[in-house]
Amino acid sequence: MSKIINIAIDGPSGAGKSTIARAVAKQAGYIYIDTGALYRAIGLYSLRGQVDAQDQEAVGKMLSDIRVELAFREGEQRVLLNGEDVSGLIRTPEVSMAASAVSALPAVRAFLLDLQRDIASKNSCIMDGRDIATVVLPNADVKIFLTASPEERARRRFAELEARGEQVTFEEVLADQKQRDYNDSHRAAAPLKQAEDAVLVDTTGKDFEESVALVASVIRGRLEQAAPAEPAPRPEKKERAPHTKVKYNFKKFTTHAFYIIAMPFTWLTCKLLYRITYIGRQNVPKKGKLIIAANHISGWDPVFVGSAMVRVIHAMAKEELFRNWFVKAVVTGLNAFPVSRGSGDRRAFEYALGLLEREKVLGIFPEGTRSKDYRPGKAKSGIALIAAATGADIVPVAIWSGGKPVRAFRTHVVVEFGKVIRNEELGLTDGKKASELRSATRKIMGRIEEMWEKIDENYAR
Ligand code: DC
């Protein structure tokens, strides 16, 4: 059996620990353990029972009624509080505060210690928290202290809460965070501090992909240092150049016949429901590898683009769509393939490379998620990474609905295929420089925006 590897990541709230650790764990094939969720579960219990989270004795008594467990479903951690899955209930500002208060109590820390150590002793894992390197896993193979400036951390947290529809202001989030930072680092029991042998990683000014790459390289470096004769986890995967040939089983995801038969129906549906107008279909080259990059305004977008029937398109789609068997059958039939968003999904990346190597058309929404204002938004650099690795040209596509939600019989949709952006125009050398990737991404998204604005001038009433 291969050696169990434990990686400890500590740091203040909002440093991006959980998203970064989750993505790195996925790449390395480790499980990811978010220990903050355990404290949050206890915080939630104290709120529900109206137990004063600062009252040592009352919380101590309360603990005898609590059973906290971790379960893993589809690789995702779930927290069970007396058997109830509370993972969705523990991310509110109230629970954050209660968690911070109960986490200061030695009884609570002792209560959760064995659970954390037990999981780490049985699994290669990345565990994040405040005292993982100092208390929970003092012998961890790699220790990282992850931080970012207070304002940047508050900005990220605010965006997260806003996206979830929470009613908070930036000032409230910043003030809350300062309070929690203070609590976490000044408490007597296991205060937040950098372990002596931890590597400090500061993500201020770095985007998600850069931060993930940085943390992954620190881990790789440390593991190699510790055991030069032993290979780091899955090195062949991580160190493979992006353009390496990839074997992939296309039968698994594609059913061409269904796509060909379905397309005329999708065209008819789009005409009837959305009076769809296609512009510039002739701009799409008839042959050769190609990336079709569109802005993302609704769940219908792959259909809007596909129904123009310019070429058979293989669209990258969020993996959540592949969970329900029926939806999975339909989207798979329409040649979509799953991507796990925000995690630098290697498998989806390789699948995309495989498609383009076979001279097929990859459909991609560079923003990664639907825009909230129904106009083009900010793109992630995944598209530039794929362009750099494959040399494929890009057709920018603007999808327009008048800046409004897409509604059947009420919305006029216009889909414009722009002039090809040659790969050489993107100024990509080897696809490793973050600045190059960002500028190429901006160029692609910039074209989409220009087209969108023009459509808006011409079609908005
Ligand atoms: O990481 P988070 O925001 O989900 O953590 C919630 C609270 O729990 C936070 O105030 C700090 C505390 N915590 C802790 O004291 N020790 C840990 N290992 C993890 C979290």
Side-chain angles (χ1 to χ4, degrees):
M1 216 178 99
S2 59
K3 180 178 178 309
I4 285 178
I5 301 282
N6 287 165
I7 291 160
I9 301 189
D10 293 300
S13 53
K17 285 191 308 284
S18 56
T19 42
I20 295 169
R22 183 181 287 112
V24 176
K26 194 162 187 178
Q27 281 179 10
Y30 299 159
I31 61 168
Y32 161 64
I33 299 158
D34 162 18
T35 60
L38 302 172
Y39 291 92
R40 286 171 179 273
I42 296 185
L44 174 68
Y45 195 87
S46 73
L47 284 175
R48 281 178 173 175
Q50 296 180 344
V51 175
D52 177 0
Q54 292 176 1
D55 181 339
Q56 184 92 259
E57 222 185 296
V59 174
K61 266 199 209 131
M62 179 190 94
L63 289 176
S64 55
D65 302 329
I66 299 185
R67 192 165 34 94
V68 179
E69 294 157 291
L70 286 182
F72 293 86
R73 285 200 204 114
E74 291 164 4
E76 280 295 309
Q77 170 185 300
R78 315 297 302 178
V79 192
L80 307 182
L81 178 60
N82 291 340
E84 176 192 353
D85 184 346
V86 293
S87 316
L89 306 173
I90 55 175
R91 302 286 160 198
T92 63
E94 295 73 39
V95 175
S96 295
M97 270 303 170
S100 180
V102 295
S103 71
L105 306 177
V108 171
R109 307 205 70 84
F111 179 77
L112 293 175
L113 190 61
D114 286 348
L115 169 62
Q116 298 170 75
R117 285 191 177 155
D118 188 49
I119 298 174
S121 69
K122 294 182 185 138
N123 303 278
S124 282
C125 64
I126 299 188
M127 186 176 276
D128 90 27
R130 304 294 190 287
D131 62 339
I132 309 303
T134 49
V135 176
V136 181
L137 305 174
N139 297 320
D141 301 87
V142 184
K143 298 178 178 179
I144 291 178
F145 193 82
L146 196 72
T147 190
S149 73
E151 288 70 26
E152 174 136 352
R153 290 190 282 121
R155 259 196 305 279
R156 292 176 190 167
R157 183 88 188 120
F158 176 61
E160 211 179 282
L161 290 171
E162 230 190 358
R164 280 213 306 269
E166 302 273 348
Q167 299 291 323
V168 282
T169 65
F170 174 75
E171 288 68 29
E172 283 166 352
V173 173
L174 184 61
D176 252 32
Q177 181 188 276
K178 281 193 174 147
Q179 183 65 52
R180 283 209 291 148
D181 280 358
Y182 186 88
N183 292 352
D184 295 347
S185 51
H186 286 80
R187 66 188 178 211
L192 168 67
K193 65 168 191 266
Q194 183 179 345
E196 271 175 19
D197 48 349
V199 182
L200 178 71
V201 176
D202 189 332
T203 62
T204 309
K206 295 199 168 49
D207 69 16
F208 174 69
E209 275 108 11
E210 289 166 338
S211 308
V212 169
L214 185 59
V215 170
S217 83
V218 168
I219 294 175
R220 214 167 27 236
R222 283 275 155 144
L223 289 177
E224 276 165 10
Q225 242 177 27
E230 266 185 44
R234 301 190 182 176
E236 78 290 350
K237 256 198 153 184
K238 282 186 178 173
E239 285 164 17
R240 183 158 54 198
H243 16 265
T244 309
K245 285 216 180 314
V246 178
K247 279 205 196 103
Y248 215 81
N249 179 5
F250 277 79
K251 288 271 165 355
K252 212 162 166 184
F253 291 124
T254 58
T255 24
H256 246 61
F258 180 77
Y259 184 98
I260 305 282
I261 295 166
M263 272 310 131
F265 290 102
T266 63
W267 174 85
L268 195 64
T269 312
C270 292
K271 280 280 167 207
L272 289 175
L273 299 187
Y274 302 106
R275 293 183 292 120
I276 192 162
T277 306
Y278 304 106
I279 306 173
R281 294 171 70 243
Q282 73 285 354
N283 287 329
V284 181
K286 297 278 166 300
K287 278 199 192 121
K289 61 183 166 196
L290 190 71
I291 301 173
I292 290 200
N295 64 306
H296 202 1
I297 57 168
S298 86
W300 276 89
D301 294 344
V303 174
F304 290 153
V305 177
S307 63
M309 290 184 281
V310 281
R311 293 266 299 266
V312 172
I313 301 173
H314 300 254
M316 200 180 256
K318 62 179 175 188
E319 70 177 348
E320 289 83 343
L321 286 179
F322 293 77
R323 293 203 182 133
N324 170 294
W325 69 269
F326 179 74
V327 183
K328 177 178 173 181
V330 174
V331 291
T332 304
L334 293 174
N335 280 350
F337 63 99
V339 61
S340 148
R341 293 174 301 170
S343 70
D345 185 341
R346 182 96 213 167
R347 195 172 143 87
F349 180 66
E350 291 182 352
Y351 186 85
L353 260 47
L355 281 170
L356 292 164
E357 268 171 20
R358 287 164 179 77
E359 309 277 303
K360 297 189 188 286
V361 181
L362 168 69
I364 188 165
F365 298 102
E367 295 152 282
T369 185
R370 284 180 238 166
S371 79
K372 292 202 186 69
D373 57 0
Y374 312 98
R375 329 169 135 252
K378 191 166 179 280
K380 308 240 161 43
S381 28
I383 183 163
L385 210 57
I386 295 173
T390 58
D393 294 338
I394 291 160
V395 170
V397 176
I399 306 180
W400 177 93
S401 61
K404 292 191 217 93
V406 171
R407 297 220 176 88
F409 302 112
R410 285 203 254 161
T411 312
H412 176 199
V413 171
V414 178
V415 175
E416 175 166 1
F417 295 84
K419 292 242 163 15
V420 171
I421 306 175
R422 300 263 163 239
N423 196 279
E424 309 80 69
E425 291 174 49
L426 294 173
L428 294 161
T429 48
D430 60 358
K432 293 206 177 96
K433 283 207 194 84
S435 56
E436 273 182 20
L437 293 172
R438 271 202 301 268
S439 107
T441 307
R442 273 199 298 270
K443 184 161 203 159
I444 298 165
M445 218 50 216
R447 284 280 184 89
I448 296 174
E449 263 164 39
E450 278 167 26
M451 286 158 49
W452 195 96
E453 293 296 344
K454 281 243 166 65
I455 303 173
D456 201 47
E457 272 169 33
N458 295 335
Y459 287 85
R461 266 178 288 152

